Amino acid sequence: MADAGCSVTVWGRDAATVEEIARDGRNTRYLPGIELPAGVTATLDARAAVADADVLAVAVPSQRAREVLAPLADALPAHAVVVSLMKGVELDTDQRMSEVVAQSLRIDASRVAVLSGPNLAREIAQRQPTATVVASTSDATAQLVARACASSYFRPYTNPDVVGVELCGAVKNVIALAVGISQGRGMGFNTMATVITRGLVEIARLGLALGADADTFPGLAGMGDLMATCASPDSRNHTLGVHIGRGMTLDEAVVATGGTAEGVKSCRSVLALATSLGVEMPITSAVVQVLHEDLPVDRLAGLLLARPHKAEGLVRTGASDG
């Protein structure tokens, strides 16, 4: 957004990080070796950060979003739009992040956008070319957010399919965990390609059951983001999965990975949402069992492939499709 010409104020909880961003234009904890644009500053005061905002970008852990945003509802300007960068489904409510944002900030859904695509943070910070999808029920909101982040290396496309774009962003993290676990067990590219491809089927199946547009899934927010997250060593979900595959406990893997791997918690909420709709998601179910139900990692591969023999179908919504 700074490279697109915006003045950017970052809110953070860690005083040392906030001071470093404001004083030195660096964030060595998360982006070592990167010089931030001159238009970026930082503050510890969240209400001050949003007080004059035209666009509020929310990039907190998905399971913390409600508690972070609710106290800011009366501080957000009436004209401001909010773009969610979060990738998850809220535990207990099964709500998508755009729904959590609208409820917490007490704003209409037309003022909310979501952004998702093959957008690994470090590569963007290095100004490597990429594209993304900005989705909103309001074309005006989507266009405003797109203008606020478009630059020579960052190309936003707009899309009205909020449901599809959000579910792609949430479930791809779960699939990346499965890929990482498999690779941590020494499995190769055949397994990776199989899990990615069948993972896309799971994403599409859930999305269509919730009314998403089928065209979203082979696009940037679907297959594009899925490939980047599953293949890159910069992906925290992929990295955490590798640690699990190599024998670490979940707690050990979280520490070794650093940062938030959203799929660890959202895999359970995604599976709960799918179950409530009667949608089968075998890869997601296997990840939940490995991470949270003490399933030995050596049994993961069997669960991924232990499906009834049938004709291949990319997009189906019935509960019996596998």
Side-chain angles (χ1 to χ4, degrees):
M1 298 180 86
D3 283 343
C6 300
S7 297
V8 178
T9 300
V10 177
W11 167 73
R13 295 172 297 172
D14 181 76
T17 298
V18 167
E19 182 181 2
E20 184 186 32
I21 293 172
R23 184 192 62 219
D24 303 328
R26 293 182 178 274
N27 184 351
T28 54
R29 180 177 180 182
Y30 290 107
L31 292 171
I34 300 294
E35 183 174 346
L36 301 178
V40 176
T41 188
T43 179
L44 289 165
D45 187 341
R47 294 177 66 85
V50 307
D52 298 317
D54 297 310
V55 178
L56 172 62
V58 183
V60 300
S62 60
Q63 305 307 323
R64 301 289 304 279
R66 194 178 294 272
E67 66 180 270
V68 170
L69 294 176
L72 305 179
D74 62 343
L76 187 69
H79 71 279
V81 302
V82 183
V83 54
S84 169
L85 310 183
M86 299 175 288
K87 309 295 192 297
V89 175
E90 190 178 44
L91 289 166
D92 300 325
T93 69
D94 294 341
Q95 288 188 329
R96 292 174 285 106
M97 289 297 101
S98 64
E99 297 173 308
V100 173
V101 166
Q103 284 188 3
S104 302
L105 293 173
R106 300 196 296 275
I107 60 177
D108 190 80
S110 63
R111 290 173 59 191
V112 179
V114 300
L115 184 148
S116 196
N119 301 149
L120 295 163
R122 184 168 186 82
E123 293 183 11
I124 293 173
Q126 293 170 331
R127 295 178 173 84
Q128 297 183 23
T130 192
T132 196
V133 177
V134 178
S136 177
T137 59
S138 164
D139 184 63
T141 295
Q143 293 291 347
L144 174 62
V145 172
R147 290 195 301 273
C149 65
S151 68
S152 60
Y153 61 88
F154 195 77
R155 172 66 162 92
Y157 292 82
T158 59
N159 188 334
D161 183 19
V162 176
V163 173
V165 170
E166 277 197 293
L167 288 177
C168 287
V171 185
K172 58 94 178 184
N173 286 329
V174 182
I175 307 306
L177 286 167
V179 169
I181 294 170
S182 299
Q183 292 185 327
R185 300 309 294 165
M187 300 174 198
F189 291 104
N190 289 343
T191 303
M192 180 178 73
T194 298
V195 175
I196 290 173
T197 305
R198 297 310 299 174
L200 182 63
V201 174
E202 290 196 12
I203 297 171
R205 185 183 295 141
L206 180 60
L208 291 177
L210 289 168
D213 185 343
D215 288 340
T216 297
F217 305 112
L220 288 164
M223 180 55 82
D225 197 9
L226 185 62
M227 291 181 64
T229 305
C230 289
S232 172
D234 287 335
S235 162
R236 287 191 292 268
N237 290 280
H238 176 269
T239 299
L240 188 142
V242 171
H243 290 320
I244 294 290
R246 290 175 177 170
M248 287 189 183
T249 66
L250 178 56
D251 289 341
E252 290 170 341
V254 169
V255 172
T257 301
T260 300
E262 289 282 11
V264 171
K265 292 184 177 179
S266 63
C267 62
R268 291 183 293 175
S269 50
V270 167
L271 184 60
L273 178 59
T275 300
S276 71
L277 295 167
V279 175
E280 282 194 353
M281 300 186 71
I283 298 174
T284 301
S285 177
V287 169
V288 170
Q289 291 179 67
V290 169
L291 295 186
H292 301 291
E293 298 175 6
D294 297 322
L295 179 78
V297 291
D298 284 333
R299 292 184 57 191
L300 176 71
L303 286 180
L304 297 180
L305 300 179
R307 313 302 302 158
H309 294 182
K310 57 181 66 180
E312 181 185 37
L314 179 60
V315 177
R316 304 183 187 191
T317 60
S320 64
D321 295 326

